[in-house]
Amino acid sequence: VLPIGLTLSRYAGSIPKELKTVGYGTAMDRKNHFGVEFKRGYLAQECATSAGLEFRPAHSYNYLAVPAYWQTVDCILASALYETAPIPQLEAAASGRLVLTSAVGNTAELAALGIAELLPSNINDFRTAAVERLLWYKDNPNAFTDRCERGREAMKRFDWPEVLPQWQEFFKSTSP
């Protein structure tokens, strides 16, 4: 209905020159009401390790510390089985980080906007595709940096000065 807004200036910083460290911006594991593990942080860790990259999960940072966390990693590998609001992916892109995410929820919209690259959600296909993409970007630093820059540029549409008028219009239209 309405886009999420971020204060992009909070995520300013340098764009990494090469892929060395993979981040994970949410809880490493969480089960739904049926006992199904849906965050699958272990999967992101496996893929980073298989690609010969350091894995550095955020765990439970206070939201005030999150922008600084993104400066300590070069990309985010989001491996969830389902997703509601992909806030970590948006924050990572705003920080100029490569965003690789499972194709769940509204992550297809992020890919269409140039913010993220989609990976299959099936566990085996995710594993194969994620390691391939990580290795490719690891071996192609110019393409990696270019992709990070394009993702950050695409995030400008989510900056509060761009988003706020849509929220204001929505609330005006709902008032009696």
Side-chain angles (χ1 to χ4, degrees), residues 144-160:
F144 168 72
T145 300
D146 179 63
R147 185 68 182 91
C148 292
E149 289 170 349
R150 287 187 289 124
R152 177 183 268 172
E153 182 66 26
M155 277 300 298
K156 289 182 179 178
R157 70 178 347 145
F158 291 100
D159 200 7
W160 272 116

Side-chain angles (χ1 to χ4, degrees), residues 127-142:
R127 187 178 286 118
T128 300
V131 172
E132 286 175 0
R133 294 310 294 157
L134 290 169
L135 287 171
W136 190 84
Y137 279 116
K138 179 180 171 183
D139 293 340
N140 294 280
N142 290 336

Side-chain angles (χ1 to χ4, degrees), residues 13-64:
S14 62
I15 289 179
K17 301 295 181 206
E18 59 185 323
L19 178 54
K20 294 191 248 177
T21 306
V22 175
Y24 189 80
T26 188
M28 285 291 289
D29 54 46
R30 186 166 299 142
K31 291 183 179 178
N32 66 15
H33 298 293
F34 303 105
V36 175
E37 170 56 43
F38 69 93
K39 285 297 184 180
R40 305 189 312 181
Y42 69 90
L43 184 56
Q45 185 171 13
E46 284 177 23
C47 294
T49 302
S50 293
L53 299 165
E54 179 185 350
F55 183 70
R56 187 178 297 156
H59 297 293
S60 298
Y61 280 111
N62 178 291
Y63 77 96
L64 295 172

